[in-house]
Amino acid sequence: MQAHYELLEKLSQKIPGIIFQFRFTPSGRMYCPFISEHVEDILEVSSKQMQDDASIMYQRIHPQDKQDFHNSILVSQELMIDWKIDFRVVLPKKGERWLRGFSTPERLDDGSTLWYGNALDVTEEKLFEQKLRAEHHLLSQFMENSSISISIKDLDGIYKFINHSWEEITGLASECVLGKKDDQIFSPKIVENFTQNDASVLQNGESLHLEVTLQSNKQLRYFEVIKFVLRDIDGVINGLCTNLTDITDRKLAQEKVVHNERRLQSIIDATNVGTWEWNIQTGEIIFNEKWANMLGYALEELQPTTVKTWDRFVHPDDFETLTHTLQSHLNGHVQHYFAECRMKHKKGHWIWVADRGMVSQWDEDGKPLLMHGIQQDITQKKFEEQELLDAREKAQKANEAKSSFLANMSHEIRTPMNAILGLSELLEDTTLDARQQEYLANVQASSKMLLGVLNDILDFSKIEAEKVQIEKTPLYFTSFVSNIQAMFAKSGAKNGVTFKINCDKELPQIVLADELRLSQILSNFLSNAFKFTIQGSVQLDIKLLSTYEQKAKIFFAVTDTGIGMTENEQERIFKPFEQADSSTTRRFGGTGLGLSIAKHLVAAMGGSLHVSTQKGVGSTFGFEIELEVVQEDKQLRHLHEHQQIKADMDLHGLEVLLFEDNSINQKVTKAMLERQGVRVAIADNGMEGVALYRKDPQKYDCILMDIHMPIMGGYEAASAIREINKTVPIIALSASASKEDKTEALHVGMNEYLIKPISSKKMYEIIYRFCKNMQHSTQENQLEKPHKLQDAKANINDKHLDIVFDGDIVLYHKLLKQFLTQLQNEFKDICKTIKEDLSEARTLIHTLKGVSGNLGATRLSLICIHIDALYKEGKTIDSQSNAELQDAINALIAHLNSLKLDTIHEQKILSDTKLFQRLDALKKYMQDAELLEPQVQNDILATLENRVDAKLLSEWDKALNALDYAKAIEIMEHWKIKE
C-alpha cells in the first residue's frame, strides 16, 4: 500500500495541476486524504493544510463564484454525478486566477462522499477566450453599425449574415433573408445579374468593383458595389462578401459641379469678363479669350502666357500699388484681392480694368499655390466717375462760397442786431408813453424774428454741407424738462392755451445725447404748436418705449389742438422754404425751414419723424431715438448740482505743469489758469515736460497734456509720467474729438480728456474735481508711503464741510446718511469679495474710493486709494490691507451713527457774505433756466425772512416753485437789501 501511495505521489508531481481526494463527511467536515504538492503553487495553500481542513479553500474562492461552487458540490453529492466547474480564486500573491475542476464521487459506508479528481489553472485560456469574445463583439458591432451595407453568403449562395444598413437599403428584414438564396428573395432579372457577378468572383478569386442603380425606399439611388471572396485559415474559399456603399450624394454633387461649371461659363460669357488662373509656384497663367480681346489681341498672339505677360501690359505708375495689393492678399492680410489699374491696349491707348481674385489652393506650409480671378474693362465707368468728381468739386466750391457768404452775412447782420436788441433792452428802463412802448415791443419782436430767420438759414446751410455733428454728452432729464417748461411757460398765456409736459416715471435719469440739438427740435415743434393753436392746449409727452442693456428707446411727441393740416399740406411742410399753404407765411411768419431742419436732426440722431394731423382738429409731431443710459452715483449728482450754484471754484495756490507746443495756446491756457490763482509751468514738448516733472514730482498738483507735440507726443509723455507717479492727475488736451483718441488717452493713464477749443469753465471744474474735491495732493503723498495709512485717524475731515459743501450742513448730512446706508448694504461684504478675489472687487473698491473721497471720509478714502493702486499694478491684496479696510469701514459706520444725522434743521441762516454770493449765483442760474436745489431756496428764504417785504418774498417763492424764473428775477430787483 505504501508503495502504491509513493507511486501516486511521484505521478502527481509529474502531472500538471492538482491531483486530489476530497472527502465530505456527514458532520460537515471537509478534508483531502490525498492532494498533490502542486496545490501550493495553484492555491497558495500547503498540502498539509488541505489534508487537515479543506474548508480553507473556500476562503480563496471569488465572492461571486462561492455560491455556484458550493451548489455544484451538493448536486454532485446528491445525484452522484461527476463534478465539473470553472471558477475563480483570489490568491494573496497572484491575485485573481481561473481554475477548472473535475472529479468523480464515491459513497462510503459511513455516509461520507469521496471525490477523486484534478484541478487545473486555466487563467490564460480564460483570458484568451475573453479577448476572442471582445474582438468578436467589436467586429460584430462594426459590421452591424457600419454605414456600408454588408452581406455574406456561403458557397451554395445561402445568406449567412446581413447588417442593419443592408436591411435599410433593401427594405428586407434579416428573418426574411437569412438561410435563403437570391431566387427566393429577388426578381429573376436581379437574380440573374447577382448570379453572374457572384460566379465571376468565386471563379477568379478576385474582387469586383461596379456601380449599380437600385430603388431604395421608393427613391432611385446610386451604389458602389464591391464583391470579394472569404477564405478560411488555410486559404480555402468558403464564402462571398458583398459591400454596398450609397454614393447618391457624391453622384449628385458631381452632376451639380458639372452643372455649375457650365452655368459659370455661361455667366462669364454673358458678363464679357476676362478670366485668369495663376499657378503661383511656376508663374504660368491661363487666360481666356475674352481677356486677350479686352486688350485688342487674339489669345494665340499672347502664347505662351506667364505672369510676365500680365506685367508688360500694366501702366508703370500703377505697377507698385498693384504689386503691394496682390502681396497683401498672398500674405493673408486681406481676404480678397481687388485693384484697379491701367493696361495698354494693342492700339496704344490705355484702358482701365478692375482686377479681382482669390487664392484657391494652399500647400501644407500655408504657401499659396493657385489663384483665380477676373478682369473687367471699366474705362467708361472711370470716365463717368471723373465727370461726377468734377461736378461734385464744382458743387462743393459753390457750396463753400455760399457758406462763406452766409457766414459773412451772419456777422454783418448780427453785429447791428445785437446793438438794436441791447439798446432796446436799455430803452425799456426809461420812461416811455404807451405808443413808444408799443413801438419798442414791435422793434424787439421783429429783431428776434430776424435772428430766428438767420439761425434757420445757417442751420440749413450746415445740413446741406453735411457739417452737422451730433454730440453725446450727459443729459439730465429733470434739468432738461425744467428748461423746456421755463422756455414755453408763457407762450400760450395770452390766448388761454394751456401747456403741459408728461414725463414717463421710468425714464433714465441720465443719458448721452446732444442736448442743444434735442432742445432745438422740441422748441421748433412747440413754437409751431403755439403759433398755430388759437385755443385749447399744447402737450409734450416723453415716454420710455423699451430698454436693452445700456440703451433706452425714448419717444418724444408734441400734440396741439391747432389748425391741423390736410394730406396735401402735410407732404409739403418738410420741404425747405415751404409751408402748408402760401397764406401761412403772411399770417404767422417763418421761413419754412424749421421742420426740414428738425427732420434732418432727428435722422442724424438715428430716428425718424412721424406726423399725425387732421384739418381743424390738431397735429402731433413725434419721433423716437435710442440713447445710451449713464449709471448715476447719487452722491456725485448732489455734489454736481450743489457745486453749480457756487459763485466760483477756489483753485488758488495750485501748481500746474502745462505740456503745450503752440505759443498762442500756451498764453491762452496760462491766462485762464492764472486768473484763478493757479501757478503755471510750461513745457514746449513731451521730453522737456517729463524732464521738468522728474526734477520735482511733488511740486505739481496737476498736469495738462497736449496730445500732439514734437520730439515726444502726449501719449508717450503720459506713459513716462506714470512710471514716476501713478496718481497725479493728467488731463489730455486735444483738438480731436474722436472716441479712439479718448480711449487711447485713458489707456495710457490719463484721467480726463478736454477737447479744444478749451472751455475755461470745464477746465476749472475738472482741475477742481481732481485737486480739491479729491484732496489729491494729500492722497498722493499718502499713497506713495502706504505704511502711513495708519496715521490717518480721522473718520471725517472736519474742514470738508466748509471746503467742499460751503458750510451747507443739511446737504452734507443728507449725503452722509445715504453713504451710511450704502456702507451697510452694497459695501457690506466688500472685504469678503476682495479676499475671495471676485471680479466685482475692483469695481467696488474704485467706487468706494470716489464716494469716500468726495465726502471727506479721510481714513477710508486713503486705504481705498492704496488698494486701488495695488489692483492697477496687478498685485494681490494682502490680508493686512484688507483688515485695515474693514476697520476703517466699521469705525466710519460707528462715527456716522453717533452724528445723529436726522436731527439737523432743514434751514440755516446765511452770513451776509454768503447771502450776496448765493444771490448773485442764483440769479445767473435762473437766467440759464437751470433746476434749483430746494435747500438753497430754503436757506435764502430763512435768511431774508426779516429783511425783505413778506409779500415780495412769498411771491418770489411762488414764482420759483412755478419755474417762472423771469418773474422771480423781476421781484428780486425790488428787494431793498444793503450789503
Side-chain angles (χ1 to χ4, degrees):
M1 187 68 179
Q2 181 65 31
H4 287 294
Y5 184 83
E6 290 177 356
L7 178 60
L8 182 61
E9 183 72 30
K10 289 181 180 180
L11 288 172
S12 67
Q13 291 176 0
K14 302 296 183 180
I15 299 173
I18 305 170
I19 305 297
F20 64 86
Q21 287 180 322
F22 176 75
R23 185 170 183 174
F24 194 179
T25 69
S27 64
R29 182 188 174 206
M30 293 178 290
Y31 65 96
C32 294
F34 172 81
I35 189 166
S36 63
E37 293 181 357
H38 287 311
V39 69
E40 190 165 351
D41 294 331
I42 294 175
L43 282 176
E44 296 183 5
V45 178
S46 68
S47 57
K48 180 66 173 67
Q49 287 176 299
M50 292 294 289
Q51 287 172 357
D52 294 339
D53 184 5
S55 65
I56 191 173
M57 180 180 62
Y58 273 85
Q59 299 175 13
R60 298 285 193 266
I61 298 175
H62 194 285
Q64 295 179 2
D65 295 348
K66 278 186 178 181
Q67 189 63 44
D68 291 343
F69 182 86
H70 184 67
N71 291 341
S72 66
I73 293 177
L74 295 180
V75 170
S76 177
Q77 181 186 35
E78 180 71 22
L79 302 178
M80 293 304 291
I81 59 176
D82 291 344
W83 175 72
K84 299 177 182 179
I85 189 172
D86 289 353
F87 61 97
R88 291 168 292 175
V89 294
V90 180
L91 306 178
K93 295 180 181 179
K94 296 181 181 180
E96 184 177 310
R97 306 292 291 177
W98 276 95
L99 301 183
R100 177 172 295 154
F102 176 83
S103 63
T104 301
E106 177 186 345
R107 188 84 68 189
L108 302 183
D109 294 339
D110 62 355
S112 298
T113 303
L114 181 66
W115 283 270
Y116 301 88
N118 72 316
L120 296 172
D121 186 328
V122 293
T123 302
E124 300 304 324
E125 178 185 336
K126 285 290 184 180
L127 292 177
F128 184 69
E129 288 177 0
Q130 290 176 0
K131 184 178 179 181
L132 283 178
R133 283 197 299 271
E135 290 177 351
H136 181 268
H137 177 73
L138 182 63
L139 180 60
S140 298
Q141 289 291 310
F142 169 75
M143 293 180 68
E144 185 62 34
N145 296 293
S146 174
S147 60
I148 300 174
S149 163
I150 302 173
S151 65
I152 296 176
K153 302 177 187 176
D154 63 15
L155 295 178
D156 295 325
I158 298 174
Y159 282 93
K160 295 297 183 181
F161 172 82
I162 60 171
N163 67 352
H164 181 67
S165 178
W166 196 93
E167 290 179 312
E168 284 190 340
I169 290 175
T170 62
L172 298 172
S174 59
E175 55 266 24
C176 300
V177 176
L178 297 180
K180 297 180 180 180
K181 295 184 178 182
D182 287 328
D183 57 7
Q184 297 174 285
I185 304 170
F186 300 107
S187 65
K189 184 176 181 180
I190 295 177
V191 170
E192 182 182 358
N193 197 6
F194 282 8
T195 303
Q196 291 177 357
N197 292 332
D198 290 353
S200 174
V201 173
L202 290 172
Q203 182 178 352
N204 300 325
E206 297 180 354
S207 61
L208 176 67
H209 294 253
L210 65 154
E211 289 185 6
V212 298
T213 305
L214 297 176
Q215 194 79 13
S216 175
N217 295 327
K218 299 181 179 181
Q219 289 184 345
L220 190 65
R221 302 193 68 82
Y222 298 91
F223 293 93
E224 181 182 58
V225 181
I226 302 177
K227 291 180 176 286
F228 55 92
V229 297
L230 299 175
R231 301 176 186 272
D232 62 16
I233 194 171
D234 298 321
V236 178
I237 297 175
N238 61 4
L240 178 72
C241 181
T242 303
N243 292 350
L244 272 74
T245 304
D246 190 332
I247 59 170
T248 304
D249 292 341
R250 188 175 76 193
K251 291 289 287 187
L252 293 178
Q254 289 174 350
E255 292 176 0
K256 188 175 181 180
V257 168
V258 173
H259 172 74
N260 286 340
E261 286 178 349
R262 292 173 181 169
R263 179 169 170 268
L264 180 59
Q265 187 61 48
S266 299
I267 293 173
I268 292 173
D269 293 341
T271 55
N272 199 30
V273 296
T275 65
W276 49 267
E277 178 183 307
W278 178 25
N279 186 321
I280 301 172
Q281 300 299 315
T282 64
E284 180 185 2
I285 291 187
I286 300 174
F287 297 110
N288 70 345
E289 189 71 32
K290 296 287 185 182
W291 190 91
N293 298 159
M294 186 172 57
L295 297 175
Y297 293 91
L299 188 59
E300 294 77 10
E301 296 181 74
L302 302 177
Q303 298 296 339
T305 54
T306 66
V307 70
K308 294 189 179 297
T309 307
W310 188 345
D311 293 348
R312 70 186 177 94
F313 289 108
V314 177
H315 195 289
D317 294 344
D318 298 340
F319 190 81
E320 184 177 349
T321 302
L322 192 69
T323 303
H324 176 75
T325 305
L326 179 59
Q327 198 60 47
S328 294
H329 175 64
L330 296 177
N331 293 337
H333 297 155
V334 291
Q335 186 175 2
H336 298 92
Y337 158 72
F338 173 74
E340 293 180 351
C341 66
R342 289 162 291 180
M343 301 188 76
K344 194 168 187 178
H345 195 272
K346 184 178 182 180
K347 295 182 179 179
H349 63 275
W350 296 95
I351 66 170
W352 276 96
V353 297
D355 197 19
R356 293 176 174 84
M358 185 176 180
V359 174
S360 57
Q361 189 175 339
W362 309 77
D363 66 10
E364 295 179 354
D365 299 326
K367 294 180 180 179
L369 295 178
L370 195 64
M371 186 172 178
H372 291 85
I374 62 171
Q375 275 191 346
Q376 186 176 14
D377 188 336
I378 58 170
T379 306
Q380 182 62 29
K381 175 189 170 187
K382 279 292 185 178
F383 176 74
E384 292 171 354
E385 285 180 355
Q386 188 59 48
E387 285 187 328
L388 287 174
L389 287 174
D390 293 342
R392 183 175 180 179
E393 185 177 353
K394 290 178 181 178
Q396 189 172 358
K397 287 180 178 179
N399 206 31
E400 288 175 355
K402 182 184 70 174
S403 299
S404 177
F405 169 76
L406 289 174
N408 291 332
M409 288 302 296
S410 170
H411 179 268
E412 295 300 324
I413 295 174
R414 283 176 183 275
T415 301
M417 284 306 304
N418 285 336
I420 293 171
L421 287 172
L423 291 172
S424 299
E425 186 175 339
L426 293 174
L427 194 58
E428 281 185 307
D429 296 332
T430 65
T431 303
L432 300 173
D433 58 31
R435 179 177 294 183
Q436 289 171 330
Q437 288 178 351
E438 182 182 354
Y439 290 164
L440 180 60
N442 290 335
V443 170
Q444 289 177 323
S446 298
S447 301
K448 291 178 180 178
M449 186 180 298
L450 183 56
L451 280 178
V453 170
L454 180 62
N455 288 335
D456 281 351
I457 292 175
L458 289 175
D459 274 341
F460 185 73
S461 176
K462 288 181 181 179
I463 289 172
E464 278 194 323
E466 299 181 352
K467 292 184 178 180
V468 173
Q469 293 183 344
I470 301 300
E471 297 182 353
K472 291 186 178 181
T473 56
L475 181 148
Y476 289 77
F477 260 112
T478 303
S479 176
F480 177 72
V481 173
S482 176
N483 292 343
I484 297 292
Q485 176 73 48
M487 289 168 60
F488 292 93
K490 295 183 179 180
S491 296
K494 293 181 180 180
N495 297 327
V497 178
T498 61
F499 178 40
K500 185 178 181 182
I501 299 179
N502 295 324
C503 281
D504 196 330
K505 294 181 180 180
E506 301 299 323
L507 281 172
Q509 292 180 326
I510 311 174
V511 294
L512 292 181
D514 192 325
E515 184 171 356
L516 176 63
R517 293 303 186 183
L518 190 58
S519 177
Q520 182 179 355
I521 296 168
L522 294 178
S523 296
N524 179 270
F525 292 169
L526 288 168
S527 296
N528 283 342
F530 282 111
K531 183 191 300 184
F532 297 110
T533 301
I534 308 302
Q535 60 182 0
S537 65
V538 173
Q539 181 171 302
L540 169 61
D541 293 294
I542 306 177
K543 299 179 182 178
L544 176 65
L545 297 181
S546 62
T547 57
Y548 175 72
E549 294 181 348
Q550 295 298 315
K551 302 286 186 181
K553 185 174 287 187
I554 301 173
F555 179 70
F556 299 83
V558 173
T559 302
D560 64 63
T561 57
I563 62 176
M565 292 175 286
T566 64
E567 289 186 7
N568 291 334
E569 291 172 340
Q570 183 178 336
E571 292 177 359
R572 299 179 58 188
I573 58 175
F574 293 108
K575 295 180 180 179
F577 303 105
E578 290 198 24
Q579 295 191 343
D581 64 62
S582 58
S583 65
T584 301
T585 302
R586 294 193 299 271
R587 183 179 176 190
F588 297 104
T591 61
L593 285 174
L595 288 176
S596 177
I597 293 170
K599 181 180 179 181
H600 282 89
L601 292 178
V602 169
M605 293 180 181
S608 58
L609 200 56
H610 310 285
V611 181
S612 173
T613 182
Q614 186 176 349
K615 190 72 173 180
V617 177
S619 304
T620 297
F621 288 80
F623 62 94
E624 59 185 52
I625 54 176
E626 189 175 78
L627 301 174
E628 184 176 347
V629 179
V630 179
Q631 297 300 322
E632 180 184 36
D633 187 303
K634 293 181 179 179
Q635 282 77 14
L636 293 180
R637 168 62 189 268
H638 282 295
L639 283 173
H640 170 73
E641 291 181 348
H642 181 72
Q643 288 168 2
Q644 286 183 330
I645 299 176
K646 291 176 65 66
D648 58 9
M649 290 169 285
D650 182 15
L651 304 179
H652 191 274
L654 289 179
E655 294 274 357
V656 172
L657 176 56
L658 172 64
F659 287 62
E660 175 63 71
D661 63 302
N662 186 284
S663 59
I664 296 177
N665 287 340
Q666 289 175 356
K667 294 175 182 178
V668 172
T669 309
K670 183 179 181 182
M672 286 181 178
L673 293 170
E674 286 182 340
R675 71 184 182 188
Q676 294 293 321
V678 178
R679 292 190 293 272
V680 183
I682 297 176
D684 290 326
N685 57 67
M687 184 175 292
E688 179 183 326
V690 172
L692 191 61
Y693 183 80
R694 185 176 280 113
K695 288 181 181 178
D696 191 359
Q698 304 300 323
K699 178 180 179 181
Y700 301 103
D701 299 288
C702 181
I703 293 174
L704 298 179
M705 179 79 72
D706 185 30
I707 296 297
H708 300 290
M709 295 181 292
I711 304 177
M712 178 187 286
Y715 296 144
E716 295 84 357
S719 298
I721 293 293
R722 281 290 173 246
E723 293 179 1
I724 305 170
N725 188 321
K726 296 189 181 300
T727 58
V728 61
I730 303 178
I731 301 167
L733 307 177
S734 176
S736 172
S738 71
K739 186 180 294 185
E740 291 77 11
D741 283 344
K742 185 173 183 178
T743 301
E744 178 64 19
L746 298 177
H747 177 72
V748 298
M750 298 186 181
N751 302 87
E752 261 292 0
Y753 192 87
L754 266 176
I755 299 172
K756 295 178 180 179
I758 300 168
S759 164
S760 60
K761 181 182 177 182
K762 182 70 173 176
M763 180 171 64
Y764 299 154
E765 288 176 354
I766 292 175
I767 294 176
Y768 185 84
R769 170 155 51 94
F770 280 99
C771 298
K772 289 293 184 180
N773 279 6
M774 302 300 290
Q775 297 179 327
H776 173 75
S777 298
T778 303
Q779 294 171 358
E780 172 66 26
N781 294 335
Q782 295 287 358
L783 181 61
E784 291 182 352
K785 300 177 181 180
H787 64 275
K788 288 189 176 181
L789 289 171
Q790 298 175 355
D791 298 339
K793 301 297 184 182
N795 291 310
I796 294 292
N797 185 349
D798 294 335
K799 297 180 180 179
H800 204 73
L801 175 62
D802 293 324
I803 294 175
V804 177
F805 290 87
D806 203 19
D808 190 344
I809 193 171
V810 175
L811 175 61
Y812 190 36
H813 277 220
K814 181 179 180 181
L815 296 180
L816 288 177
K817 183 180 178 181
Q818 293 178 1
F819 188 33
L820 175 60
T821 302
Q822 285 188 326
L823 289 173
Q824 294 171 332
N825 290 281
E826 59 190 271
F827 295 116
K828 179 181 178 181
D829 298 321
I830 186 172
C831 294
K832 181 181 178 182
T833 305
I834 293 173
K835 182 178 180 181
E836 295 177 358
D837 196 23
L838 300 180
S839 58
E840 61 266 26
R842 183 170 183 175
T843 301
L844 284 172
I845 201 68
H846 184 78
T847 303
L848 186 57
K849 178 188 74 171
V851 179
S852 59
N854 286 333
L855 295 177
T858 308
R859 179 182 175 189
L860 179 57
S861 176
L862 292 178
I863 184 60
C864 287
I865 290 172
H866 171 61
I867 294 176
D868 190 48
L870 293 178
Y871 273 125
K872 289 179 180 178
E873 295 172 3
K875 296 181 180 179
T876 304
I877 310 305
D878 56 279
S879 57
Q880 180 181 352
S881 297
N882 207 10
E884 289 179 2
L885 175 62
Q886 188 65 65
D887 291 343
I889 292 174
N890 294 339
L892 182 57
I893 291 175
H895 181 71
L896 293 178
N897 283 325
S898 70
L899 292 179
K900 299 180 179 179
L901 299 173
D902 291 323
T903 62
I904 301 299
H905 295 294
E906 286 300 320
Q907 295 179 339
K908 68 173 183 176
I909 306 301
L910 300 173
S911 66
D912 284 353
T913 302
K914 294 292 183 184
L915 173 63
F916 287 106
Q917 288 178 351
R918 189 64 54 83
L919 288 175
D920 289 341
L922 188 59
K923 185 180 294 185
K924 184 178 183 306
Y925 207 62
M926 289 189 292
Q927 290 171 344
D928 294 337
E930 294 288 345
L931 190 65
L932 301 181
E933 172 66 45
Q935 188 58 49
V936 177
Q937 186 175 335
N938 293 339
D939 292 344
I940 293 177
L941 283 170
T943 306
L944 296 178
E945 187 173 359
N946 297 318
R947 303 176 65 178
V948 172
D949 180 75
K951 184 178 179 181
L952 286 176
L953 200 58
S954 176
E955 290 178 357
W956 179 76
D957 186 34
K958 290 179 181 178
L960 284 183
N961 293 334
L963 301 178
D964 191 349
Y965 291 158
K967 183 177 180 180
I969 294 173
E970 181 182 350
I971 293 172
M972 292 174 69
E973 299 297 330
H974 297 285
W975 289 352
K976 306 297 182 182
I977 309 173
K978 293 184 179 180
E979 187 171 352

